[in-house]
């Protein structure tokens, strides 16, 4: 049998199952990400003749597959948020992106240097790639979609956090790259990082996102209504906008992740109740789910192909500490003073899901510079993503029910 067609058969069957597996697993209160992770493990263990790739050891392959999944997830997240942007209304996610993310990066970088023996660039990179809450795997704790009418502060905060901090973590990734390339901490490196990687790339990404979002709103929402000559109501437009704004931002050396999410939020905010948002979100989310299925299968295969070979007990303990202690405590610190029920704060703090975005950042950084702890970084990040999928996937449904349950 031709291995190519066997591969297509397996991937096609996995994608078809994505239509009904989530509904079935909902009865068992288990996230379907666990199901596809296990499927990947089984495929790679038992089907030797299928040449499925292991992308997590090939940075070039991994970069583009993971970045595609992340930018599409960012578009879906931005369109799905019902709350109009304002500094006051978005206080929670902005706190999570600033206070919480910085504390998490600092804590993991410190653990990397003082407990694991990593060099400083590798330790900073470890903190940076683990900083963002993953927009791809966090669908179970995100908002349901545009105009669903059931968006609460908890789901909003986690969705907006995942949308914002996938771009906000980039400056720290570039700091690790700059230190690795410079082999030191000279003043010139830090100044260039502040002006270019921290300020210019974020500001340019925001501006591009706002402009593209406004232009696309006029082209696909207002112009068809005013001229009544044509009607654009196709869901793939969301994917087209995603690819366009991401590429445009990257071409001018801005942060594409920032531009995509800002464009999505701008597009949604211009006329927040418009029914076309629902179609854009639905199609974009479907593509996101298909990519997620593929990536989870490949990640499952990576687990049996040696990605955890360089994991040590101290690294495993540090990973568990990050998921169960560092993220929750740093998130609670970020939420200090926010008028929100404590159990909702606890759920927000606990569900800092790590996933595909971390793999993108790691593969991206390793393609730009040599890090002495490359193998250890892959093993540790893979382990943390694994335990995040298992722990968060097994508890998300029960946690949401606990928070939303009305008292008797």
């Amino acid at each position: 049998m031709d291995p190519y067609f066997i591969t297509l058969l397996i991937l096609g069957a996995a994608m078809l199952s994505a239509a009904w597996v989530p509904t079935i697993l909902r009865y068992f209160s288990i996230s379907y990400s666990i199901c596809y992770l296990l499927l990947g493990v089984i495929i790679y263990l038992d089907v030797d003749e299928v040449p499925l790739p292991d992308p997590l050891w090939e940075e070039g392959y991994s970069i583009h597959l993971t970045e595609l999944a992340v930018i599409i997830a960012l578009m879906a997240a931005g369109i799905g948020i019902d709350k109009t942007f304002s500094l006051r209304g978005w206080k929670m996610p902005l706190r999570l992106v600033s206070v919480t993310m910085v504390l998490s990066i600092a804590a993991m970088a410190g653990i990397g240097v003082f407990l694991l023996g990593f060099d400083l660039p590798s330790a900073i990179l470890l903190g940076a790639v683990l900083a963002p809450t993953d927009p791809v795997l966090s669908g179970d704790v995100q908002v349901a979609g545009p105009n669903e009418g059931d968006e609460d502060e908890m789901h909003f905060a986690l969705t907006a956090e995942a949308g914002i901090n996938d771009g906000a973590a980039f400056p720290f990734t570039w700091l690790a790259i700059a230190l690795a390339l410079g082999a030191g901490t000279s003043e010139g490196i830090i100044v260039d990082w502040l002006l270019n990687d921290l300020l210019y790339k974020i500001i340019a990404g925001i501006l591009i996102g706002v402009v593209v979002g406004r232009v696309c709103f006029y082209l696909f929402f207002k112009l068809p209504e005013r001229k009544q000559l044509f009607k654009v109501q196709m869901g793939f437009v969301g994917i087209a906008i995603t690819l366009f704004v991401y590429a445009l931002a990257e071409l001018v050396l801005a942060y594409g992740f920032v531009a995509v999410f800002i464009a999505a939020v701008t597009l949604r905010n211009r006329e927040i109740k418009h029914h076309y948002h629902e179609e854009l979100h639905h199609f974009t989310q479907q593509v996101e789910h298909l990519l997620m299925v593929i990536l989870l299968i490949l990640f499952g295969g990576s687990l049996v192909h040696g990605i955890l070979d360089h994991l040590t007990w101290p690294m495993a303990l540090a990973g568990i500490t990050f998921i169960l202690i560092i993220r929750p405590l740093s998130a609670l610190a970020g939420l200090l003073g926010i008028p929100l029920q404590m159990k909702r704060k606890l759920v927000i703090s606990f569900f800092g899901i790590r996933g595909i975005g971390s793999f993108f950042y790691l593969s991206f950084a390793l393609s730009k510079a040599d890090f002495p702890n490359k193998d250890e970084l892959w093993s540790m990040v893979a382990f943390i993503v694994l335990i995040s999928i298992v722990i968060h996937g097994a508890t998300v449904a029960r946690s949401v029910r606990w928070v939303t349950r009305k008292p008797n």
Side-chain angles (χ1 to χ4, degrees), residues 114-159:
F114 297 109
L115 297 182
L116 302 179
F118 288 4
D119 66 299
L120 182 61
S122 296
I124 293 176
L125 180 60
L126 176 64
V129 301
L130 294 175
T133 298
D134 191 67
V136 182
L137 297 181
S138 59
D140 291 323
V141 292
Q142 290 191 3
V143 296
N147 305 318
E148 291 287 338
D150 59 352
E151 180 176 302
D152 60 20
E153 289 296 321
M154 180 184 70
H155 290 90
F156 158 70
L158 288 167
T159 305

Side-chain angles (χ1 to χ4, degrees), residues 7 34 63 65 79 100 137 163 165 170 178 183 189 199 276 282 288 290 293 318 346 361 370 384 391 405:
T7 302
I34 297 177
I63 288 172
L65 190 59
I79 295 175
T100 298
L137 297 181
N165 70 4
F170 237 129
I189 291 175
L199 294 178
Y276 188 26
H282 182 66
E288 174 197 344
L290 291 178
V293 167
L346 291 174
Y361 278 118
D370 291 325
I384 290 174
I391 293 175
R405 184 174 58 230

Side-chain angles (χ1 to χ4, degrees), residues 16 28 36 39 62 79 103 144 222 240 265 330-331 339 372 379-380 394:
L16 285 172
F28 299 96
Y36 289 106
L39 179 61
S62 182
I79 295 175
L103 288 176
K222 282 300 180 186
V265 172
S330 61
S379 290
M380 189 166 181

